[in-house]
Amino acid sequence: MRKFGILVAAITIVGVAAPVLAHHGFDTEYDASKHVKLEGVVTMVTWTNPHMRVYIDVKDKDGKVTNWNMELTSPNTIRRQGWGPDDLKAGDAVIFEGFAGKVVESRGSLQTIMKKSDMKPLFGPGGPDAAQPVKQ
């Protein structure tokens, strides 16, 4: 019975510690020296924890399309600062800035984003790990 108690305690400790250890900082995945400013069309917005994501198709000068996977802060933080689920949707043409990924360049950290239709920022300005959603 004692061995079972130790096993349960060990599993509990690992289960509680794993999410904390799994969280990453900006420098783990993104490169602050790889600033990008691009135009594209939103393909998907995910309001999931721990970080929201915006997926954007960007066409290069040769017509090749790359889908950028841009990470934001948590959905709760975004909502508290004024951005709601209806503010950005698939099909919206956008201009965005951020920082490219260290390993996969098109997996980046979003700094600012605005719809081309009204040029009002939905998120930004900010910097690595510090972008602030705004409403104007």
Side-chain angles (χ1 to χ4, degrees):
M1 194 62 155
R2 182 170 181 218
K3 287 181 182 180
F4 179 72
I6 292 171
L7 177 64
V8 170
I11 291 171
T12 303
I13 290 169
V14 169
V16 170
V20 173
L21 295 173
H23 195 87
H24 58 89
F26 177 88
D27 291 334
T28 304
E29 294 188 45
Y30 309 113
D31 188 340
S33 70
K34 291 182 180 177
H35 183 263
V36 295
K37 181 175 183 178
L38 300 164
E39 294 185 22
V41 176
V42 174
T43 58
M44 183 170 48
V45 180
T46 60
W47 286 77
T48 55
N49 282 313
H51 300 279
M52 282 185 59
R53 294 195 177 273
V54 177
Y55 298 85
I56 306 161
D57 277 347
V58 174
K59 191 181 293 189
D60 70 13
K61 60 181 172 30
D62 298 323
K64 180 183 175 215
V65 175
T66 300
N67 188 257
W68 283 74
N69 170 354
M70 301 302 289
E71 181 180 58
L72 292 82
T73 188
S74 73
N76 187 39
T77 300
I78 298 294
R79 288 188 66 92
R80 282 194 317 246
Q81 295 178 356
W83 182 6
D86 293 329
D87 291 325
L88 187 66
K89 294 187 175 192
D92 287 341
V94 295
I95 298 172
F96 68 100
E97 292 185 56
F99 300 94
K102 285 185 173 180
V103 177
V104 179
E105 189 169 273
S106 61
R107 186 181 186 283
S109 176
L110 189 68
Q111 182 183 24
T112 63
I113 189 166
M114 64 182 102
K115 290 195 264 186
K116 288 179 74 175
S117 62
D118 60 16
M119 298 302 285
K120 291 182 181 177
L122 288 171
F123 189 79
D129 269 355
Q132 297 295 314
V134 294
K135 288 286 234 170
Q136 291 184 349

mmCIF file of all heavy atoms in Angstrom, residues 69-98:
data_model
loop_
_atom_site.group_PDB
_atom_site.id
_atom_site.type_symbol
_atom_site.label_atom_id
_atom_site.label_comp_id
_atom_site.label_asym_id
_atom_site.label_seq_id
_atom_site.Cartn_x
_atom_site.Cartn_y
_atom_site.Cartn_z
ATOM 1 N N ASN A 69 1.685 31.161 -39.008
ATOM 2 C CA ASN A 69 1.048 30.765 -37.754
ATOM 3 C C ASN A 69 1.569 31.742 -36.699
ATOM 4 O O ASN A 69 2.689 31.596 -36.227
ATOM 5 C CB ASN A 69 1.436 29.322 -37.450
ATOM 6 C CG ASN A 69 1.052 28.857 -36.065
ATOM 7 O OD1 ASN A 69 0.571 29.612 -35.228
ATOM 8 N ND2 ASN A 69 1.297 27.588 -35.814
ATOM 9 N N MET A 70 0.771 32.745 -36.366
ATOM 10 C CA MET A 70 1.219 33.807 -35.473
ATOM 11 C C MET A 70 0.601 33.646 -34.086
ATOM 12 O O MET A 70 -0.615 33.563 -33.931
ATOM 13 C CB MET A 70 0.859 35.175 -36.059
ATOM 14 C CG MET A 70 1.472 35.433 -37.431
ATOM 15 S SD MET A 70 3.277 35.320 -37.479
ATOM 16 C CE MET A 70 3.728 36.795 -36.586
ATOM 17 N N GLU A 71 1.459 33.603 -33.082
ATOM 18 C CA GLU A 71 1.045 33.404 -31.696
ATOM 19 C C GLU A 71 0.809 34.746 -31.004
ATOM 20 O O GLU A 71 1.545 35.700 -31.210
ATOM 21 C CB GLU A 71 2.123 32.627 -30.952
ATOM 22 C CG GLU A 71 1.773 32.350 -29.507
ATOM 23 C CD GLU A 71 2.875 31.579 -28.799
ATOM 24 O OE1 GLU A 71 4.014 32.072 -28.764
ATOM 25 O OE2 GLU A 71 2.575 30.495 -28.283
ATOM 26 N N LEU A 72 -0.226 34.785 -30.171
ATOM 27 C CA LEU A 72 -0.531 35.944 -29.346
ATOM 28 C C LEU A 72 -0.473 35.530 -27.885
ATOM 29 O O LEU A 72 -0.034 34.437 -27.570
ATOM 30 C CB LEU A 72 -1.937 36.472 -29.652
ATOM 31 C CG LEU A 72 -2.175 37.092 -31.016
ATOM 32 C CD1 LEU A 72 -2.438 36.036 -32.064
ATOM 33 C CD2 LEU A 72 -3.353 38.039 -30.955
ATOM 34 N N THR A 73 -1.001 36.352 -27.034
ATOM 35 C CA THR A 73 -1.118 36.024 -25.615
ATOM 36 C C THR A 73 -2.387 35.204 -25.394
ATOM 37 O O THR A 73 -2.994 34.720 -26.342
ATOM 38 C CB THR A 73 -1.081 37.329 -24.785
ATOM 39 O OG1 THR A 73 -1.014 36.992 -23.403
ATOM 40 C CG2 THR A 73 -2.282 38.207 -25.040
ATOM 41 N N SER A 74 -2.836 35.078 -24.175
ATOM 42 C CA SER A 74 -4.003 34.244 -23.875
ATOM 43 C C SER A 74 -5.302 34.914 -24.335
ATOM 44 O O SER A 74 -5.403 36.142 -24.377
ATOM 45 C CB SER A 74 -4.090 33.976 -22.371
ATOM 46 O OG SER A 74 -4.499 35.151 -21.693
ATOM 47 N N PRO A 75 -6.319 34.106 -24.660
ATOM 48 C CA PRO A 75 -7.612 34.676 -25.048
ATOM 49 C C PRO A 75 -8.201 35.586 -23.968
ATOM 50 O O PRO A 75 -8.795 36.616 -24.284
ATOM 51 C CB PRO A 75 -8.501 33.446 -25.261
ATOM 52 C CG PRO A 75 -7.565 32.333 -25.534
ATOM 53 C CD PRO A 75 -6.321 32.639 -24.752
ATOM 54 N N ASN A 76 -8.023 35.225 -22.709
ATOM 55 C CA ASN A 76 -8.548 36.036 -21.617
ATOM 56 C C ASN A 76 -7.920 37.430 -21.624
ATOM 57 O O ASN A 76 -8.607 38.443 -21.467
ATOM 58 C CB ASN A 76 -8.304 35.337 -20.282
ATOM 59 C CG ASN A 76 -8.981 36.038 -19.138
ATOM 60 O OD1 ASN A 76 -10.099 36.527 -19.275
ATOM 61 N ND2 ASN A 76 -8.321 36.089 -18.005
ATOM 62 N N THR A 77 -6.620 37.497 -21.820
ATOM 63 C CA THR A 77 -5.934 38.793 -21.874
ATOM 64 C C THR A 77 -6.417 39.611 -23.060
ATOM 65 O O THR A 77 -6.675 40.809 -22.937
ATOM 66 C CB THR A 77 -4.406 38.579 -21.948
ATOM 67 O OG1 THR A 77 -3.986 37.863 -20.791
ATOM 68 C CG2 THR A 77 -3.665 39.900 -22.045
ATOM 69 N N ILE A 78 -6.569 38.971 -24.201
ATOM 70 C CA ILE A 78 -7.045 39.662 -25.407
ATOM 71 C C ILE A 78 -8.441 40.237 -25.171
ATOM 72 O O ILE A 78 -8.709 41.393 -25.477
ATOM 73 C CB ILE A 78 -7.066 38.695 -26.616
ATOM 74 C CG1 ILE A 78 -5.668 38.183 -26.936
ATOM 75 C CG2 ILE A 78 -7.701 39.362 -27.828
ATOM 76 C CD1 ILE A 78 -4.693 39.200 -27.421
ATOM 77 N N ARG A 79 -9.337 39.450 -24.606
ATOM 78 C CA ARG A 79 -10.716 39.923 -24.362
ATOM 79 C C ARG A 79 -10.743 41.076 -23.368
ATOM 80 O O ARG A 79 -11.494 42.029 -23.545
ATOM 81 C CB ARG A 79 -11.594 38.769 -23.891
ATOM 82 C CG ARG A 79 -11.890 37.793 -25.027
ATOM 83 C CD ARG A 79 -12.916 36.774 -24.615
ATOM 84 N NE ARG A 79 -14.204 37.366 -24.367
ATOM 85 C CZ ARG A 79 -15.171 37.503 -25.281
ATOM 86 N NH1 ARG A 79 -14.964 37.098 -26.506
ATOM 87 N NH2 ARG A 79 -16.315 38.017 -24.967
ATOM 88 N N ARG A 80 -9.936 40.987 -22.309
ATOM 89 C CA ARG A 80 -9.911 42.064 -21.309
ATOM 90 C C ARG A 80 -9.428 43.378 -21.911
ATOM 91 O O ARG A 80 -9.747 44.447 -21.412
ATOM 92 C CB ARG A 80 -8.994 41.685 -20.145
ATOM 93 C CG ARG A 80 -9.606 40.720 -19.172
ATOM 94 C CD ARG A 80 -8.803 40.647 -17.882
ATOM 95 N NE ARG A 80 -7.382 40.601 -18.119
ATOM 96 C CZ ARG A 80 -6.592 39.574 -17.850
ATOM 97 N NH1 ARG A 80 -7.097 38.488 -17.322
ATOM 98 N NH2 ARG A 80 -5.312 39.620 -18.094
ATOM 99 N N GLN A 81 -8.641 43.272 -22.974
ATOM 100 C CA GLN A 81 -8.098 44.476 -23.578
ATOM 101 C C GLN A 81 -8.895 44.934 -24.798
ATOM 102 O O GLN A 81 -8.443 45.805 -25.533
ATOM 103 C CB GLN A 81 -6.628 44.258 -23.906
ATOM 104 C CG GLN A 81 -5.834 44.054 -22.623
ATOM 105 C CD GLN A 81 -4.371 43.788 -22.864
ATOM 106 O OE1 GLN A 81 -3.912 43.681 -23.984
ATOM 107 N NE2 GLN A 81 -3.626 43.674 -21.786
ATOM 108 N N GLY A 82 -10.072 44.329 -25.030
ATOM 109 C CA GLY A 82 -10.994 44.886 -26.001
ATOM 110 C C GLY A 82 -11.172 44.178 -27.327
ATOM 111 O O GLY A 82 -11.966 44.613 -28.148
ATOM 112 N N TRP A 83 -10.498 43.095 -27.570
ATOM 113 C CA TRP A 83 -10.638 42.391 -28.839
ATOM 114 C C TRP A 83 -11.558 41.202 -28.630
ATOM 115 O O TRP A 83 -11.348 40.401 -27.725
ATOM 116 C CB TRP A 83 -9.263 41.946 -29.305
ATOM 117 C CG TRP A 83 -9.232 41.242 -30.630
ATOM 118 C CD1 TRP A 83 -10.266 41.055 -31.506
ATOM 119 C CD2 TRP A 83 -8.106 40.613 -31.232
ATOM 120 N NE1 TRP A 83 -9.845 40.352 -32.615
ATOM 121 C CE2 TRP A 83 -8.519 40.071 -32.470
ATOM 122 C CE3 TRP A 83 -6.785 40.453 -30.855
ATOM 123 C CZ2 TRP A 83 -7.667 39.393 -33.321
ATOM 124 C CZ3 TRP A 83 -5.938 39.772 -31.711
ATOM 125 C CH2 TRP A 83 -6.367 39.259 -32.930
ATOM 126 N N GLY A 84 -12.584 41.079 -29.452
ATOM 127 C CA GLY A 84 -13.526 39.975 -29.331
ATOM 128 C C GLY A 84 -13.474 39.040 -30.523
ATOM 129 O O GLY A 84 -12.879 39.357 -31.556
ATOM 130 N N PRO A 85 -14.138 37.889 -30.417
ATOM 131 C CA PRO A 85 -14.113 36.882 -31.479
ATOM 132 C C PRO A 85 -14.659 37.357 -32.825
ATOM 133 O O PRO A 85 -14.336 36.780 -33.854
ATOM 134 C CB PRO A 85 -14.975 35.745 -30.926
ATOM 135 C CG PRO A 85 -14.938 35.925 -29.455
ATOM 136 C CD PRO A 85 -14.825 37.400 -29.221
ATOM 137 N N ASP A 86 -15.478 38.392 -32.845
ATOM 138 C CA ASP A 86 -16.032 38.882 -34.110
ATOM 139 C C ASP A 86 -15.162 39.938 -34.778
ATOM 140 O O ASP A 86 -15.490 40.405 -35.870
ATOM 141 C CB ASP A 86 -17.435 39.457 -33.878
ATOM 142 C CG ASP A 86 -18.426 38.377 -33.473
ATOM 143 O OD1 ASP A 86 -18.250 37.219 -33.919
ATOM 144 O OD2 ASP A 86 -19.350 38.676 -32.714
ATOM 145 N N ASP A 87 -14.065 40.335 -34.154
ATOM 146 C CA ASP A 87 -13.238 41.420 -34.695
ATOM 147 C C ASP A 87 -12.304 40.991 -35.822
ATOM 148 O O ASP A 87 -11.874 41.822 -36.620
ATOM 149 C CB ASP A 87 -12.417 42.075 -33.577
ATOM 150 C CG ASP A 87 -13.290 42.855 -32.613
ATOM 151 O OD1 ASP A 87 -14.295 43.451 -33.071
ATOM 152 O OD2 ASP A 87 -12.980 42.872 -31.417
ATOM 153 N N LEU A 88 -11.954 39.738 -35.902
ATOM 154 C CA LEU A 88 -11.060 39.247 -36.947
ATOM 155 C C LEU A 88 -11.509 37.853 -37.330
ATOM 156 O O LEU A 88 -11.629 36.974 -36.467
ATOM 157 C CB LEU A 88 -9.611 39.215 -36.435
ATOM 158 C CG LEU A 88 -8.538 38.887 -37.468
ATOM 159 C CD1 LEU A 88 -8.445 39.989 -38.525
ATOM 160 C CD2 LEU A 88 -7.183 38.723 -36.786
ATOM 161 N N LYS A 89 -11.774 37.668 -38.622
ATOM 162 C CA LYS A 89 -12.297 36.387 -39.082
ATOM 163 C C LYS A 89 -11.588 35.931 -40.342
ATOM 164 O O LYS A 89 -10.948 36.727 -41.034
ATOM 165 C CB LYS A 89 -13.791 36.513 -39.363
ATOM 166 C CG LYS A 89 -14.606 36.779 -38.124
ATOM 167 C CD LYS A 89 -16.072 36.728 -38.424
ATOM 168 C CE LYS A 89 -16.817 36.885 -37.107
ATOM 169 N NZ LYS A 89 -18.190 36.581 -37.198
ATOM 170 N N ALA A 90 -11.748 34.651 -40.652
ATOM 171 C CA ALA A 90 -11.205 34.102 -41.892
ATOM 172 C C ALA A 90 -11.731 34.919 -43.067
ATOM 173 O O ALA A 90 -12.903 35.276 -43.112
ATOM 174 C CB ALA A 90 -11.592 32.638 -42.037
ATOM 175 N N GLY A 91 -10.836 35.240 -43.995
ATOM 176 C CA GLY A 91 -11.195 36.035 -45.172
ATOM 177 C C GLY A 91 -10.816 37.501 -45.057
ATOM 178 O O GLY A 91 -10.773 38.204 -46.059
ATOM 179 N N ASP A 92 -10.526 37.976 -43.840
ATOM 180 C CA ASP A 92 -10.125 39.376 -43.666
ATOM 181 C C ASP A 92 -8.718 39.593 -44.216
ATOM 182 O O ASP A 92 -7.788 38.848 -43.893
ATOM 183 C CB ASP A 92 -10.129 39.778 -42.185
ATOM 184 C CG ASP A 92 -11.520 39.943 -41.604
ATOM 185 O OD1 ASP A 92 -12.486 40.108 -42.383
ATOM 186 O OD2 ASP A 92 -11.648 39.904 -40.357
ATOM 187 N N ALA A 93 -8.569 40.617 -45.049
ATOM 188 C CA ALA A 93 -7.238 41.014 -45.530
ATOM 189 C C ALA A 93 -6.586 41.843 -44.430
ATOM 190 O O ALA A 93 -7.212 42.747 -43.868
ATOM 191 C CB ALA A 93 -7.362 41.825 -46.814
ATOM 192 N N VAL A 94 -5.335 41.532 -44.109
ATOM 193 C CA VAL A 94 -4.656 42.171 -42.990
ATOM 194 C C VAL A 94 -3.227 42.572 -43.345
ATOM 195 O O VAL A 94 -2.629 42.053 -44.286
ATOM 196 C CB VAL A 94 -4.615 41.251 -41.747
ATOM 197 C CG1 VAL A 94 -6.002 40.977 -41.204
ATOM 198 C CG2 VAL A 94 -3.882 39.946 -42.036
ATOM 199 N N ILE A 95 -2.720 43.485 -42.546
ATOM 200 C CA ILE A 95 -1.301 43.815 -42.514
ATOM 201 C C ILE A 95 -0.862 43.465 -41.102
ATOM 202 O O ILE A 95 -1.519 43.856 -40.133
ATOM 203 C CB ILE A 95 -1.060 45.312 -42.795
ATOM 204 C CG1 ILE A 95 -1.547 45.660 -44.196
ATOM 205 C CG2 ILE A 95 0.423 45.653 -42.614
ATOM 206 C CD1 ILE A 95 -1.534 47.157 -44.488
ATOM 207 N N PHE A 96 0.225 42.709 -40.994
ATOM 208 C CA PHE A 96 0.673 42.320 -39.663
ATOM 209 C C PHE A 96 2.182 42.430 -39.545
ATOM 210 O O PHE A 96 2.904 42.381 -40.532
ATOM 211 C CB PHE A 96 0.187 40.917 -39.293
ATOM 212 C CG PHE A 96 0.795 39.802 -40.095
ATOM 213 C CD1 PHE A 96 1.840 39.042 -39.579
ATOM 214 C CD2 PHE A 96 0.325 39.483 -41.356
ATOM 215 C CE1 PHE A 96 2.395 37.997 -40.297
ATOM 216 C CE2 PHE A 96 0.867 38.437 -42.087
ATOM 217 C CZ PHE A 96 1.906 37.691 -41.561
ATOM 218 N N GLU A 97 2.613 42.619 -38.307
ATOM 219 C CA GLU A 97 4.034 42.650 -37.999
ATOM 220 C C GLU A 97 4.286 41.694 -36.848
ATOM 221 O O GLU A 97 3.413 41.474 -36.008
ATOM 222 C CB GLU A 97 4.476 44.049 -37.572
ATOM 223 C CG GLU A 97 4.424 45.070 -38.677
ATOM 224 C CD GLU A 97 4.979 46.409 -38.248
ATOM 225 O OE1 GLU A 97 6.146 46.460 -37.802
ATOM 226 O OE2 GLU A 97 4.241 47.405 -38.359
ATOM 227 N N GLY A 98 5.462 41.176 -36.835
ATOM 228 C CA GLY A 98 5.825 40.277 -35.757
ATOM 229 C C GLY A 98 7.257 39.842 -35.880
ATOM 230 O O GLY A 98 8.058 40.466 -36.580
#
